Structure formats: structure tokens, C-alpha cells
Amino acid sequence: MSEFKDTLKSFGKTQTDYQEKANSLDKWKNQFQGLETEVTKLMSFFEQKYEESAVDDDFSEDVKAKLENRRDGIRLSVKSASRLLRRLNPEKPLETEIDEFINDEVMREKLMFSEQQEASVEPEEAVTETIAQESDIVTANEDPTEEGAEIAPSHDEEVLEEAAEAEEANTITNEDQQIELQEQVTVQQQDQSIQAKIELLKEAIENNQHVLDQLDEHNQAAQKRFLTFIEKGVAPVLDGLFSGDKYGKELLEQLSSENSADCEKVEKWLEIYQILMNEIKRLFDMFSIEYFSPEIGESFNELKHEPIGVVEDPAFQDEQIKEVVRYGLTFIKEEFDIRPAQVIVVKNKQVVEQRGNEDEV
């Protein structure tokens, strides 16, 4: 009975696992549908803001040329954004086909059918042969005074009473043996019935585990497709805007140092970078994506940062971050980084030489 309960519990776990994994796949389907809608909005938004970013004649010729150069960069970002829907490929549906899953209702029907088949065989039929064999043994050992045997006449009443008592006791014994045999066969049938149910449950568990493995594969494929789209499709658009924004800030600092009359107008024009980046952030927020940028001067962390260059700067300590080249991306729902932030790290020669001297000593 313990094995039956354990097997039934394992079957029940496949039911809860199936519901969880099937729900997860449904969420991915809904997420891709929502992503298609939001990407379409983002593409339209980028086109609109690009059209509004025309550089008018209010700027000096030099500044106007620089802003036109920046606008060309924005045009490339808009062009990249216009290809996002094609990268998403909404025409290709998620893989969702699975083999037939055996649920509680189907399993109950299988078990009930098994019970009905067993019930169609009467218990008495199952023990007939055994009882008959036992009866043959009893008959072979019967007293010759029983039916069919010649009994010498006797007038001793005491002997007759003993014979009658022995016959009665023999009859009771035969009945008890028959009852005991029937009980043994009944227990055996129950054990066989339980074992048959256990086998049915084990077959269902094996079938369901195969279906659960299929669901796992589909969920993993959906997640990979989603993250690949974010990393290879949307993130490069963000990277282009990030680089353009850095250049725009450098231009603004230069104009400010020159006391240019165009400073305020340039600052206003450069807001387009933040506007477009905020639109991408809005998209990321909806789908549990977060982009992060380490602080300048923050210590290098090999788990979250990717060093793509080394510079000397006495104003910084060794292995402090001098510059951020590219945002990192985190998938909040699963709590892992899609990609690290790319950074320039400080490595001062003095520190390197000092370490070399210490190694020699």
C-alpha cells in the first residue's frame, strides 16, 4: 500500500508540474504577442522623433554641421529600430506541440476500467480449484465409517457418540479451511489489483515525464529566442544612442567652455537621445529587462563588467572604472545578466612596476 501511495503522489506531482510549465509557455506566447505590439509602437515613435529633429537655421554654421552629423547617427539608430519587427519574426509561432498528457480525469477512468475488469470475475471462481484440491485431500483421509463404507453393527452408544462428534468436527474443519482459503485468495487478488494500478500509474508517469521534458524544451527555446532578440536586436539600438549621447555631452561641454550662444539651443536639441533611450527603457521595463551602467570610479567587477581597454590615470586607483563604453543588461525575472557592461579600466604604470619589484624580492 505504501508503494501505491508513493506512486500516486509521484503521478500527482506530474499534474502540478504540467500546469506550471504549460502556464509558463502560455505566458511566453502572450509575451511575444505583447512584444510585437510594443516594438511596432517603438518603431513608429522613433520615426516620428527623427522627423521632428531637423536642424534649423537658428544655429551657427559650425554647430549646425555638428548637429547634422549627430542627426545622421540618430538616423542609423532609427533604421536599426525599423528592422526590429523583422528580427522578432512574429510570423514564426512558438513551438508548442506536445504529446498527449494523461491528466487526473483520464487516469481515474483507466483505474476504474481496471477495477471493473477485476469485478467481473467472482471471488468464488478464483478459489474453486484450490478448494477442490483440498476437498480431495479431505476425502482421501475420511473415516471408513462415512457414506459408502460398511459399518459393523454395534450397540455401544458411547462409540456411536464419539463417531458423530468426530464427523461434526471434521465438517467444521472443512468449512473453516474453505473460508481461510477464500480469504487468502481474496487478499491475493487485492494485492494483484493494487499492483496492476501501480503499473498503470507508472506508465502514466513515464508518459507525462516525457511531455514535461518537451514543455521544458519549448520554454527554454522561447526564453532563448526572447533574450536573443533583446541582445541582438534592441540592445544595439540602445548602444548607438548611448554613444551619440556621450558625444553630444562632450559637444555641449566644449560649447560651454567657449561661451557659445548656441549652448541652450544645443542642449535642447540633444534631448532627443534621452527621449529615445527612455522609450527603449519603457520597453525593457515592460518585459523585465534592466540596463545598468557602473559609476565612474567604481571598482571593476569581473562578474558584471567586461574590460575592453586599459588606461593610465593617476587620479584613479588601480582597477577603478575610468569610462563606460556600453550598458550591461539584466533579465530581472530570472536574475541573471544577459551581458556585462563594457568598461575602460585604470591600470597605472607605477602600480605595475611596484608589483613587479615585489615579485623580484
Side-chain angles (χ1 to χ4, degrees), residues 273-289:
Y273 287 108
Q274 283 302 317
I275 291 173
L276 297 179
M277 289 169 71
N278 285 340
E279 187 66 10
I280 293 179
K281 183 178 185 304
R282 185 190 67 81
L283 177 72
F284 281 174
D285 288 343
M286 292 184 66
F287 298 97
S288 301
I289 303 294

Side-chain angles (χ1 to χ4, degrees), residues 49-273:
K49 291 303 174 182
Y50 174 72
E51 294 299 327
E52 295 175 358
S53 68
V55 181
D56 55 39
D57 295 331
D58 291 342
F59 298 98
S60 63
E61 289 301 320
D62 181 53
V63 171
K64 184 177 179 180
K66 291 178 179 178
L67 292 183
E68 286 289 359
N69 179 268
R70 288 298 84 214
R71 191 167 186 262
D72 282 342
I74 293 172
R75 181 182 60 81
L76 293 177
S77 294
V78 173
K79 188 175 181 180
S80 296
S82 68
R83 293 193 290 263
L84 287 178
L85 199 59
R86 188 172 62 193
R87 283 182 171 273
L88 181 61
N89 194 9
E91 300 301 322
K92 180 183 177 182
L94 292 181
E95 181 63 50
T96 58
E97 291 186 7
I98 58 173
D99 292 338
E100 184 178 357
F101 184 80
I102 300 175
N103 58 28
D104 286 331
E105 184 177 351
V106 172
M107 194 70 243
R108 279 196 296 269
E109 290 177 357
K110 287 178 177 288
L111 294 176
M112 286 177 62
F113 180 73
S114 176
E115 288 179 353
Q116 289 170 359
Q117 284 187 316
E118 294 162 4
S120 64
V121 180
E122 294 295 333
E124 289 78 3
E125 297 177 9
V127 298
T128 298
E129 185 177 350
T130 304
I131 294 176
Q133 292 173 355
E134 293 294 334
S135 297
D136 290 341
I137 295 173
V138 171
T139 302
N141 294 328
E142 283 179 348
D143 191 273
T145 59
E146 293 183 1
E147 184 181 354
E150 295 182 2
I151 302 175
S154 173
H155 299 288
D156 191 339
E157 293 181 359
E158 185 177 347
V159 173
L160 291 174
E161 289 177 1
E162 289 178 356
E165 290 175 358
E167 182 178 356
E168 182 180 355
N170 187 49
T171 301
I172 294 173
T173 300
N174 288 341
E175 291 177 353
D176 289 343
Q177 288 176 340
Q178 291 179 10
I179 293 172
E180 183 179 354
L181 284 172
Q182 187 168 350
E183 289 177 349
Q184 289 176 355
V185 173
T186 300
V187 170
Q188 185 179 9
Q189 283 183 325
Q190 290 175 345
D191 290 343
Q192 291 175 345
S193 175
I194 291 173
Q195 193 59 43
K197 292 177 180 177
I198 289 174
E199 292 304 317
L200 282 174
L201 285 167
K202 285 183 176 179
E203 290 176 5
I205 290 170
E206 183 178 357
N207 175 86
N208 287 355
Q209 189 57 55
H210 175 66
V211 174
L212 293 175
D213 291 342
Q214 289 180 318
L215 284 172
D216 278 336
E217 291 175 2
H218 294 338
N219 275 298
Q220 290 168 9
Q223 177 173 298
K224 181 179 179 180
R225 180 175 170 182
F226 169 74
L227 294 178
T228 298
F229 171 72
I230 294 296
E231 183 180 8
K232 305 299 184 183
V234 184
V237 180
L238 176 67
D239 295 339
L241 295 172
F242 178 71
S243 298
D245 187 50
K246 285 176 63 177
Y247 178 86
K249 289 176 180 177
E250 292 172 1
L251 172 61
L252 195 59
E253 288 178 2
Q254 177 188 345
L255 294 176
S256 178
S257 65
E258 296 172 356
N259 293 320
S260 171
D262 291 325
C263 268
E264 187 175 343
K265 290 181 292 182
V266 169
E267 183 177 12
K268 182 68 176 177
W269 190 92
L270 291 174
E271 287 178 358
I272 187 174
Y273 287 108

